[in-house]
Amino acid sequence: MTTNYDHRGTMMEKRSRHLPLLTLLSLLFGSPAAMADWTTLNLTRGVTPIANQVYDLHMIILWVCIIIGIIVFGAMAWSIMHHRKSKGAQPATFHESTKLEILWTLIPFVILIAIAIPATSTLLYMSDTSTDAEVTIKVTGHQWKWQYEYVDDGINFISNLHPDHNDARQLGSGVEVASVDNYLLDVDEAVVVPINRKIRFLLTASDVIHAWWVPELGQKQDAIPGYINEMWTKIEKEGTYRGQCAELCGKDHGFMPVVVKAVTDEQYASWKKGKQDEAAAAAASSDREWSQ
């Protein structure tokens, strides 16, 4: 009886020892919600050709790394299990093998070259601004706001953090934060662009280095004082896409979001006409003579 009790006690002890691990695994993999959360860990597809090409490149390299990891760690685990001292394994006595050293030098070299080909192709595709763009927008970073100038259309405006978000972040209470959607990722005036058109961005800054970043577009570009960087995009899906400055630029760095609205050609033409009419009215009022 004592032996059976000890045996059962030992089994229960082992189970209790492994209970936290089993509980964790069941929580991580046991529910559909948990499995859905795991999918958010991966890079997501964007809404531009560049973003999708970057995603495809990411997946290729990810699977290459996974296969390498399985082979390397599998070989290590097999070697550890089958050449352990308890099985009577004896250490081999041998010197270096020239053929083996050449082989394990060539294999990584070939893998790197194979990865470099699509990576280089993607980088060249991202940086190719040589073809004619249908809309050119100059983006200037200021502490702490963005200025947008539609070079060919006479449109120029400043985009600030939305006043409701600015009030909420200054009050700092959970109630105020919960009262606004997309907290700290909304502006008083968004960038509006047409879908399925090549948009060229010219990026610079007036004071310090900023970085203009919208994740769904698949690109991030620095805005540097005295220098103009270029990037391009072609948004294939209507919607509102949010980003922010991605370069530490001062005390309010976290409060200069980017909002891009991609609309149809008709909506873009209507928005552009409205902005041009506003600019014309402002220019006309500048020459107005005011009576006392």
Side-chain angles (χ1 to χ4, degrees):
M1 292 295 293
T2 305
T3 304
N4 291 337
Y5 175 80
D6 290 343
H7 175 70
R8 288 196 300 270
T10 304
M11 292 298 293
M12 291 178 66
E13 205 174 295
K14 288 181 178 179
R15 287 176 183 173
S16 63
R17 197 163 56 237
H18 295 133
L19 186 59
L21 178 59
L22 294 172
T23 304
L24 177 62
L25 291 174
S26 65
L27 289 173
L28 290 177
F29 300 106
S31 66
M35 292 301 293
D37 287 341
W38 275 106
T39 62
T40 62
L41 295 177
N42 193 16
L43 188 68
T44 56
R45 284 193 176 275
V47 294
T48 68
I50 288 176
N52 289 323
Q53 194 163 330
V54 168
Y55 177 85
D56 293 337
L57 176 64
H58 158 76
M59 293 307 300
I60 290 171
I61 296 177
L62 175 64
W63 282 113
V64 169
C65 293
I66 288 173
I67 292 169
I68 291 172
I70 291 172
I71 293 172
V72 171
F73 289 104
M76 289 175 60
W78 182 86
S79 181
I80 291 169
M81 291 298 296
H82 290 271
H83 298 93
R84 63 187 188 272
K85 183 179 180 182
S86 60
K87 291 190 68 173
Q90 296 295 324
T93 56
F94 58 87
H95 293 282
E96 67 279 353
S97 169
T98 303
K99 291 182 180 179
L100 188 60
E101 290 186 3
I102 292 173
L103 185 64
W104 68 39
T105 301
L106 282 177
I107 291 175
F109 179 77
V110 171
I111 293 172
L112 288 174
I113 293 298
I115 291 174
I117 292 172
T120 303
S121 174
T122 300
L123 286 172
L124 291 175
Y125 181 66
M126 291 173 65
S127 60
D128 181 17
T129 57
S130 59
T131 55
D132 292 336
E134 296 172 84
V135 180
T136 300
I137 302 174
K138 180 184 176 185
V139 182
T140 305
H142 304 282
Q143 289 178 312
W144 291 269
K145 63 194 76 176
W146 296 100
Q147 180 180 1
Y148 298 99
E149 179 184 351
Y150 289 66
V151 175
D152 300 320
D153 300 314
I155 299 172
N156 193 334
F157 60 88
I158 299 286
S159 180
N160 298 280
L161 178 66
H162 194 283
D164 292 343
H165 293 246
N166 196 38
D167 293 341
R169 67 105 175 175
Q170 290 183 29
L171 291 172
S173 69
V175 174
E176 292 296 331
V177 169
S179 67
V180 293
D181 295 329
N182 302 301
Y183 179 57
L184 299 183
L185 290 176
D186 202 6
V187 294
D188 56 359
E189 191 159 6
V191 185
V192 179
V193 297
I195 60 172
N196 297 317
R197 305 291 180 186
K198 183 171 183 179
I199 315 297
R200 181 182 179 218
F201 292 100
L202 307 174
L203 296 110
T204 188
S206 64
D207 35 47
V208 298
I209 297 177
H210 302 273
W212 197 84
W213 176 49
V214 180
E216 285 87 353
L217 304 189
Q219 287 180 279
K220 178 179 74 172
Q221 187 63 268
D222 281 348
I224 303 172
Y227 189 83
I228 294 180
N229 277 326
E230 292 183 80
M231 61 176 279
W232 71 274
T233 192
K234 188 177 186 180
I235 302 175
E236 299 174 323
K237 183 179 178 182
E238 286 185 67
T240 300
Y241 306 105
R242 304 177 190 277
Q244 55 197 147
C245 178
E247 194 75 51
L248 187 59
C249 58
K251 72 179 184 68
D252 283 349
H253 158 70
F255 310 116
M256 51 184 301
V258 177
V259 178
V260 177
K261 289 186 177 180
V263 298
T264 63
D265 287 343
E266 294 77 15
Q267 291 171 323
Y268 177 70
S270 176
W271 174 85
K272 184 169 72 171
K273 185 178 185 307
K275 295 298 290 182
Q276 289 173 335
D277 290 346
E278 287 179 16
S285 66
S286 66
D287 298 330
R288 179 178 175 183
E289 292 185 6
W290 297 85
S291 62
Q292 185 175 1

